[in-house]
Amino acid sequence: MNIVEYNRAAWNREVEKGNEWTVPVSAEKIEAAGRGDFSILLTETKPTPRDWFPADLKGVDILCLASGGGQQAPVLAAAGANVTVFDNSPAQLGQDLKVAARENLSLKTVQGEMADLSVFADESFDLIFHPVSNCFAPAVRPVWRECYRVLRCGGTLLTGFNKPALYIFDPLLAEKGELEIKYALPYSDLESLTDEERSFYTDKGEPLEFSHTLADQIGGQLDAGFALIGFYEDHHRRHPLARFMPTYIATRAKKL
């Protein structure tokens, strides 16, 4: 299976189905962002701290990485940033373009796979906004290396990702609110599941996911050359594990 092509088609379908992460931002939020009052999510419920962004976004070059869906990029554009949205799904990018047309915003969209940013020159951006999405990539260290390359010196990488523990449980039971350990880490929808188990997702055309170790998520950023300067945790709204522990991590990293 070509996972990039499969997940591209899967996310195109998620847009058709109205997945909550594909629903464009409201006109009210765009208007507020134009006044400098904005809030966007790296994880599921906790807003990204305002001081993780420059005080003034006017003229700041931002890459919204694997961040299509019309939710974050238009807000940052309305706040004055020069925004490029990079995503694997044309339909997700289309949501950003819809908001841009609706609100008369200027932003750029580029289709591609998050581990390959070769379309961009070295030191093209001041900030990268990368919400929870590297769970759809088989390997995450190439993502961090590319982020480091395209950021300018002193630029920042804002990232959200799942904690690996989410992936050890039987997903069918988890949907019923039950936690039963079933899988070893690192987890992969391609390699950890039987064909029958995988069909639970592929028969419905849903995206396939991969867990990544904290050594790759956090250590990978450090090994790429970043310094970690911010950190917080968040909870899933529906996964039963979130009753007992935070299930997301968000990091702020600086290119030295």
Side-chain angles (χ1 to χ4, degrees):
M1 177 186 292
N2 183 316
I3 190 62
V4 173
E5 291 181 1
Y6 174 86
N7 274 346
R8 179 184 303 131
W11 273 104
N12 288 342
R13 286 188 288 269
E14 292 301 304
V15 173
E16 294 175 4
K17 293 189 291 187
N19 179 301
E20 65 178 307
W21 303 113
T22 73
V23 178
V25 68
S26 69
E28 290 75 18
K29 287 191 175 182
I30 295 297
E31 182 181 358
R35 302 192 301 268
D37 178 17
F38 71 88
S39 176
I40 55 176
L41 296 172
L42 270 173
T43 52
E44 191 165 348
T45 67
K46 187 179 294 186
T48 312
R50 179 61 181 85
D51 62 5
W52 280 23
F53 298 92
D56 186 356
L57 288 185
K58 289 182 174 60
V60 176
D61 294 319
I62 296 180
L63 174 63
C64 288
L65 179 59
S67 180
Q71 297 184 359
Q72 295 106 16
V75 169
L76 295 170
N82 303 319
V83 179
T84 300
V85 196
F86 187 89
D87 199 277
N88 186 31
S89 163
Q92 280 283 75
L93 293 173
Q95 300 298 78
D96 291 287
L97 292 174
K98 286 179 183 178
V99 180
R102 188 190 77 200
E103 304 295 339
N104 195 28
L105 299 171
S106 176
L107 56 80
K108 180 180 179 181
T109 61
V110 180
Q111 183 187 325
E113 197 274 317
M114 69 184 84
D116 179 7
L117 303 182
S118 57
V119 67
F120 303 119
D122 295 355
E123 301 184 356
S124 293
F125 300 99
D126 301 304
L127 184 145
I128 296 175
F129 190 86
H130 181 45
V132 180
S133 55
N134 67 40
C135 54
F136 303 109
V140 71
R141 283 179 177 263
V143 178
W144 305 141
R145 291 192 291 267
E146 281 288 84
C147 286
Y148 191 87
R149 181 184 65 80
V150 302
L151 273 174
R152 297 180 180 122
C153 186
T156 53
L157 166 65
L158 310 185
T159 305
F161 51 88
N162 292 316
K163 286 191 175 181
L166 279 173
Y167 293 94
I168 67 175
F169 300 103
D170 184 320
L172 298 181
L173 293 177
E175 286 193 354
K176 301 175 183 177
E178 303 175 27
L179 294 174
E180 181 178 297
I181 294 175
K182 185 172 185 179
Y183 301 110
L185 297 176
Y187 170 88
S188 160
D189 276 342
L190 290 181
E191 298 177 1
S192 302
L193 302 180
T194 65
D195 290 344
E196 182 179 2
E197 289 172 328
R198 192 179 308 105
S199 69
F200 174 73
Y201 304 106
T202 56
D203 285 355
K204 295 181 288 185
E206 295 181 350
L208 297 180
E209 296 190 22
F210 306 82
S211 79
H212 302 296
T213 65
L214 295 182
D216 284 343
Q217 292 280 27
I218 297 175
Q221 292 183 52
L222 298 175
D223 289 345
F226 288 103
L228 195 66
I229 59 172
F231 182 100
Y232 65 87
E233 296 176 301
D234 194 8
H235 293 76
H236 281 70
R237 291 196 304 269
R238 289 179 287 274
H239 199 287
L241 182 61
R243 299 198 306 265
F244 305 100
M245 61 177 282
T247 48
Y248 290 113
I249 288 173
T251 57
R252 181 188 185 200
K254 183 176 182 178
K255 179 175 178 175
L256 299 177

